[in-house]
Amino acid sequence: MTARTLTVPAGTSKEDWETLFAASKNVEGTREQMRSLLIRDPGWIERIGTLAATAEEAIFGTIKGTFLVEEAWRADASFIRASLAMPGDGALERLLAERVVLSWLALALAEIKRADRWQGGGSAEEAVFWDRHVSRLSTDFLHASKALATVRRLRVPSVQINFGEQQVNQVRL
Amino acid sequence: MAWEQRERGGLYYTRSRRRGGRVVREYVGCGEAARLAATLDAEKRAARAADRAQRVQERTEVFAVEAALDALGESLNRALVLALGAEGYHHHRGQWRRSRTT
């Protein structure tokens, strides 16, 4: 995992400082204090870094090129993020769309790396490793896409039409 | 790879290789040619070590990506179950169904 810079706002209490510092050093017994700090002030979740931000950093950490290459990938990810957004999206849809973007990005980069390794004539063990990695990311991408599609489909407003007393038809618009 | 001290005082460059499960020592020579061979061998060893280090680094990054995506996926799956459950859906054999009572 790549290192993250934590911006601590002015007015942070001494106790919170100590908790954050101890948690950053994996000091035994600070996990509970850290949990209560996150419950008391959820703003810290954003500051410390969400799971999506951590995944994004890990993915971009695998790019071994110039800033030009990295920024092109970032722009591509932003474009896909924007194209997946729909009016009226809630927090869940936004997070699911983010997962689709990240898993697509990880898959695309892994496929390029696998192709690079094949060109270099890597060993059979290496070929198996990259095949397994690409296959796993491909499954991740499909699961992420399916979850987003499911939520989008289920959350579409529905109209219920009743005929008579018994018959009930539901029509999704 | 080693320089061997000979009885008459000269240094002799040798390479050890594994052939058919046995270590075989190959005598390269002495003097300028041996020094050149030793330099080239050292460069090859350094390149192989750098290549190995790069592979280890690459695999560490790959595992970090997989772990981060797993953590994100697991937490989102939990959120999905909670959110759709609150809206009256339940998961049945891989499908989301709306409860008849809702």
Side-chain angles (χ1 to χ4, degrees), chain A residues 86 88-97 99-100 143-157 172, chain B residues 76-77 79-85 87 89 96 98:
Chain A
M86 285 179 78
D89 270 357
L92 184 63
E93 283 92 336
R94 280 200 300 276
L95 282 168
L96 290 170
R99 187 186 170 202
V100 173
H143 283 162
S145 304
K146 190 181 173 188
L148 179 62
T150 302
V151 169
R152 287 257 158 86
R153 185 173 56 82
L154 294 177
R155 283 191 167 172
V156 167
R172 291 206 170 271
Chain B
L76 277 178
N77 284 341
L80 185 71
V81 170
L82 287 173
L84 292 182
E87 288 171 22
Y89 291 97
W96 285 98
R98 196 177 185 92

Side-chain angles (χ1 to χ4, degrees), chain B residues 7-96:
Chain B
E7 281 180 17
R8 283 190 283 180
L11 282 173
Y12 211 90
Y13 182 63
T14 67
R15 287 188 191 117
S16 295
R17 293 177 190 275
R18 192 173 284 278
R19 279 194 197 136
R22 293 177 62 195
V23 177
V24 178
R25 182 172 283 194
E26 178 185 318
Y27 288 82
V28 180
C30 57
E32 216 33 58
R35 266 194 290 280
L36 183 63
T39 309
L40 290 175
D41 284 346
E43 280 174 7
K44 275 186 201 163
R45 277 198 304 277
R48 277 201 299 270
D51 201 42
R52 271 198 302 274
Q54 191 200 337
R55 302 257 182 271
V56 169
Q57 169 71 15
E58 220 168 54
R59 289 191 183 201
T60 308
E61 288 169 355
V62 160
F63 292 138
V65 167
E66 287 182 355
L69 284 176
D70 279 353
L72 179 64
E74 278 171 27
S75 85
L76 277 178
N77 284 341
R78 281 199 297 273
L80 185 71
V81 170
L82 287 173
L84 292 182
E87 288 171 22
Y89 291 97
H90 64 278
H91 205 221
H92 180 78
R93 295 187 181 183
Q95 279 187 325
W96 285 98

